[in-house]
C-alpha cells in the first residue's frame, strides 16, 4: 500500500510511522529525516537545505522532488511505501500523482493526525530538536496551516482522506490508524 501521513509539527507522526511500517512492511520515506541526514553528511543538497530548515521554511521543490523521485524509483518501493512529510504542498501532491501515474501506481490513502495547536506547543517544549526553538516551531505550524492544510481538501475530494484524532496514548492513536488502513484496504478491493 502507498500511504501518506499528514500532520502538523509535533503531531506524533514519527511514533505512528514506526508502528505503521511494521504493520505494512513497506519502507518509511520521511523527507525530514532524509534532509537531516543530508545536512549531517554536508552534501550539497544538505548545505542548501540547512538554512531553510533552520528558519522553519520549506526547502525548495527541485531539491525535494529530486530526492523523493530518486528514492521512490528504488526497488524496495515497488510494493508500497509510507510517505511522511511529503507531499507538503499542493504542487508536491500533483507532482507525486504524476510520478506515480507514470509507473501505473497511485496513493491508496492519506491519514491526517489532527492535534490542537496548544497541545503541539506543549509537546514541542517537552522534546528537543535543532529546529524546535519556539519561534521557529511557530513558523513551522503556520507553514503547515497555509501550505499543507490545503492538501487535506485535495485528498478528501478524491475520497482518500481519513482524519484521526491525535490526542490520547500512542496505542490508542495507533488503533485509529489501523482502522483507517482497513478502510483503505476495503476501498481498494471495491470494483
Ligand atoms: P515537522 O513535520 O515536525 O515540521 P519534518 O521532519 O517533517 O518536521 O521536516 C523538518 C523540516 O524539513 C521542515 O520544516 C522543512 O524545512 C523541511 N522539509 C521536510 N519535508 C519537506 C517537504 N516535503 N518540502 C519542503 N520542505 C520539507
Amino acid at each position: 500500500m502507498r500511504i501518506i501521513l499528514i500532520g502538523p509539527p509535533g503531531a506524533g507522526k514519527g511514533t505512528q510511522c514506526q508502528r505503521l511500517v511494521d504493520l505494512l512492511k513497506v519502507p518509511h520515506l520521511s523527507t525530514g529525516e532524509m534532509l537531516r541526514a543530508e545536512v549531517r553528511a554536508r552534501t550539497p543538497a544538505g548545505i542548501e537545505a540547512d538554512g531553510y530548515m533552520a528558519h522553519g521554511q520549506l526547502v525548495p521543490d527541485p531539491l525535494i522532488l529530486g530526492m523523493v523521485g530518486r528514492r521512490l524509483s528504488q526497488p524496495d518501493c515497488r510494493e508500497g511505501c509510507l510517505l511522511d512529510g511529503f507531499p507538503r504542498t499542493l504542487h508536491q501532491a500533483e507532482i507525486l500523482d504524476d510520478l506515480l501515474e507514470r509507473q501505473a501506481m497511485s496513493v491508496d490513502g492519506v491519514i491526517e493526525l489532527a492535534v490542537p495547536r496548544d497541545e503541539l506547543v506543549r509537546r514541542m517544549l517537552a522534546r528537543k530538536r535543532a529546529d524546535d526553538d519556539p519561534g521557529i516551531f511557530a513558523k513551522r505550524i503556520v507553514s503547515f496551516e497555509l501550505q499543507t492544510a490545503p492538501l487535506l481538501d485535495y485528498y478528501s475530494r478524491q475520497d482518500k482522506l481519513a482524519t484521526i484524532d491525535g490526542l490520547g496514548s500512542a496505542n490508542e492513536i495507533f488503533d485509529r490508524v489501523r482502522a483507517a488502513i482497513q478502510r483503505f484496504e476495503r476501498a481498494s478491493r471495491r470494483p
Side-chain angles (χ1 to χ4, degrees), residues 18-94:
Q18 277 172 11
R19 294 167 185 231
L20 251 182
V21 293
D22 284 343
L23 177 77
L24 298 173
K25 309 262 185 294
V26 294
H28 177 202
L29 272 58
S30 156
T31 43
E33 288 300 330
M34 289 159 81
L35 289 169
R36 283 189 285 278
E38 300 276 350
V39 171
R40 277 196 302 274
R42 306 303 295 159
T43 64
I47 291 167
E48 187 189 343
D50 197 13
Y52 294 95
M53 295 171 74
H55 290 96
Q57 291 166 349
L58 294 188
V59 170
D61 275 346
L63 197 163
I64 294 288
L65 295 169
M67 190 176 79
V68 173
R70 279 190 297 279
R71 184 67 188 89
L72 276 178
S73 63
Q74 284 169 16
D76 62 334
C77 292
R78 278 253 34 112
E79 298 305 315
C81 63
L82 174 62
L83 287 167
D84 163 11
F86 178 90
R88 230 180 180 87
T89 62
L90 212 46
H91 181 243
Q92 290 182 359
E94 287 164 355

Side-chain angles (χ1 to χ4, degrees), residues 131-145:
D131 55 354
D132 272 353
D133 162 88
I136 306 290
F137 191 77
K139 280 202 189 151
R140 283 160 50 216
I141 294 186
V142 170
S143 153
F144 177 82
E145 287 168 355

